[in-house]
Amino acid sequence: DPVELHADVLRPAGLPADARTPVILISGPYLSHAGQQADEEKAFTGPSLRHRAFIDDGGLFAAGYTVVFGDLRGFGGSSGCYDFTGPGEQADVRAFVEWAASAPWSTGRVGMYGKSYDAVTGLIGLADRPAGLAAVVAQEPSWNLYDYLYENGIPAENNRTTIDAYNGIAAL
């Protein structure tokens, strides 16, 4: 079945609709209106607060950037089932970058930013090199997900708890 991806597009206030800006893309499981934690969704409406300090303290809107939050498949407003950095999520990252780069409000240059899981999606972007990807900042990614989930070929504690955590987030 085809997957429908959801993204929130945040633009600087007062910007003309046809103004072209560079894009910072954050793609991951924590970004949509469900938030990262169950209590977050009750506190507000709109994109997750996960990267609020980065956006505000970094002055991204004042500097003229558009910020795109892309929900990976199975999370937030996107359909489908997540596959933990598998071929589906790799396709999602490519689709988000290429879509943002080709949007009429984009300069065609997309930078990816993320921490933890969101950083891993940036590494996926680096490996795939989709059209328009200009830079990646990956803060605290897991470099080897196999070693994160297994020790000497045996499922580690993370193998169960990580999958349980993402199932819980997807259920939001």
Side-chain angles (χ1 to χ4, degrees), residues 3-7 32 70-80 92 96:
V3 172
E4 185 173 313
L5 297 176
H6 171 87
S32 191
D71 294 333
L72 294 172
R73 63 185 59 221
F75 295 101
S78 293
S79 66
D92 296 349
F96 282 129

Side-chain angles (χ1 to χ4, degrees), residues 6 43 60 62 100-101 104 106 112 144 172:
H6 171 87
L60 300 184
S106 171
M112 292 186 71
N144 183 328
L172 292 175

Side-chain angles (χ1 to χ4, degrees), residues 82 84 145-151 153-167:
Y82 81 96
F84 198 59
L145 293 174
Y146 184 84
D147 287 346
Y148 180 75
L149 298 175
Y150 296 89
E151 293 177 15
I154 299 169
E157 178 69 14
N158 283 340
N159 191 289
R160 182 185 55 75
T161 58
T162 298
I163 302 308
D164 287 350
Y166 290 115
N167 279 331

